[in-house]
Amino acid sequence: MAALGAYVWRQPYLLLGLTILFWSGNSIIGRAVRDDIPPLTLAALRWIGATAILLPFAVGPGRRDWPVLRDHWQIILVLGLSGVAAFNTLLYLGLGRTTASNALLIQASTPPFILLIAWMLEGQRTSVARLVGTALSMAGVMIVVTQGQVETLLHLRLNVGDIFVLIASVLWAVYTVLLPRRPDLHPLSFLCATFVVGVAVVTPLAAWELSHGARIVWTPMAIGAAFYVALFPSVIAYVFYTRGVSLVGGAVAGQFINAMPLVGALLAVLALGEPLAAYHLVGMATILLGIIWFTRTQ
């Protein structure tokens, strides 16, 4: 088992693929329980639960890393605000106010935002070949989201939920670009510190939401959703994503986000019994071609 874990830890594309699987499930769960758990409360439950799960494993490394955490609190705060607190809160708010098609299409803007912000903050330039790879992946996203019907794009309408998702996508791009700047810490120390930032920011917002009439309906689905969002898209996915970025860089890791609409559609096929259509297969091939093209070029 240890040998298998060590092998997986050295495979960035496997780690990033699992990350996208868990995050795609997060979007489906967030949309499914929007009437049972208010969005700010779901965000708070996610990070309180994730911190509770991670804390026992992070106490030892955190004690050893405390001087580094204290000296680099600014970057920890920025990463915690952008990639934990604000991103997920805005995503849940958006999922309650927009269609799945709009949300998936807008999240496809994240890889180009990563390239743009990396250029603005780090002076990183990208090649024409990599731009072609990005364009191919986004074209595959368009095929999946529009179900292969170009005229669907003409009927998309933006609303406040779309704006929330767009801002969340920009913030995730910022988080991805800044992630390599994190101090030299044990991964669990780093993630626990950023999760604590998320808890500190989101919990008062959830308390405000509940004090203004929002209520949780504790159905079995809601309980399962709270457990899922705390463990899989939070603790496990953030560990995997951080490791993936450290191995292949933020630009390559960001390309995998374009697979989320496809993975979400396939999860809907498996979990909800929705049919698998030809456009799914065409979109899958185009997205994968774009990701492979991007990762194989400089």
Side-chain angles (χ1 to χ4, degrees):
M1 183 63 68
L4 176 62
Y7 172 79
V8 171
W9 196 242
R10 296 192 299 269
Q11 306 303 313
Y13 301 135
L14 175 58
L15 294 172
L16 292 170
L18 291 172
T19 297
I20 296 309
L21 173 63
F22 297 147
W23 282 346
S24 299
N26 178 55
S27 294
I28 290 178
I29 290 292
R31 181 72 177 166
V33 301
R34 66 189 185 280
D35 295 328
D36 296 329
I37 307 179
L40 297 176
T41 303
L42 181 59
L45 290 173
R46 175 178 181 176
W47 296 118
I48 291 171
T51 303
I53 294 170
L54 189 60
L55 192 58
F57 304 97
V59 168
R63 286 175 178 169
R64 293 190 295 271
D65 290 335
W66 173 247
V68 181
L69 287 167
R70 182 189 58 214
D71 293 342
H72 296 84
W73 66 268
Q74 296 96 332
I75 187 63
I76 297 295
L77 179 63
V78 170
L79 291 171
L81 289 173
S82 60
V84 177
F87 167 75
N88 293 277
T89 301
L90 289 167
L91 179 61
Y92 287 147
L93 285 170
L95 287 170
R97 292 168 170 82
T98 190
T99 64
S101 295
N102 277 30
L104 291 170
L105 186 59
I106 292 168
Q107 286 184 77
S109 67
T110 303
F113 277 134
I114 290 174
L115 296 178
L116 176 61
I117 293 171
W119 171 70
M120 294 172 61
L121 297 182
E122 308 284 350
Q124 296 179 11
R125 297 182 180 273
T126 192
S127 65
V128 173
R130 284 196 159 186
L131 291 175
V132 170
T134 301
L136 283 171
S137 293
M138 293 189 67
V141 172
M142 297 286 188
I143 292 171
V144 173
V145 172
T146 64
Q147 300 183 0
Q149 303 296 321
V150 177
E151 59 268 20
T152 303
L153 289 174
L154 302 177
H155 296 92
L156 290 177
R157 296 293 182 267
L158 295 178
N159 57 39
V160 66
D162 300 319
I163 295 173
F164 285 146
V165 177
L166 180 61
I167 297 172
S169 299
V170 174
L171 289 173
W172 187 257
V174 172
Y175 174 81
T176 299
V177 172
L178 294 181
L179 197 54
R181 294 190 185 185
R182 69 190 185 281
D184 185 14
L185 297 167
H186 191 284
L188 298 184
S189 301
F190 166 71
L191 287 177
C192 193
T194 58
F195 287 5
V196 168
V197 172
V199 170
V201 172
V202 177
T203 301
L205 297 176
W208 174 86
E209 182 178 58
L210 294 173
S211 70
H212 282 72
R215 292 291 180 268
I216 305 175
V217 181
W218 285 116
T219 63
M221 178 179 287
I223 295 172
F227 175 78
Y228 177 87
V229 299
L231 179 59
F232 290 98
S234 302
V235 175
I236 297 176
Y238 271 68
V239 170
F240 286 0
Y241 189 77
T242 302
R243 175 63 174 173
V245 170
S246 69
L247 291 175
V248 298
V252 173
Q255 289 299 308
F256 280 76
I257 296 174
N258 273 336
M260 285 182 61
L262 174 63
V263 176
L266 295 178
L267 288 177
V269 170
L270 296 174
L272 305 177
E274 296 183 0
L276 183 65
Y279 68 81
H280 287 126
L281 301 178
V282 176
M284 178 191 304
T286 309
I287 291 170
L288 292 178
L289 177 60
I291 293 174
I292 293 171
W293 187 294
F294 190 97
T295 57
R296 296 294 184 183
T297 57
Q298 296 294 329

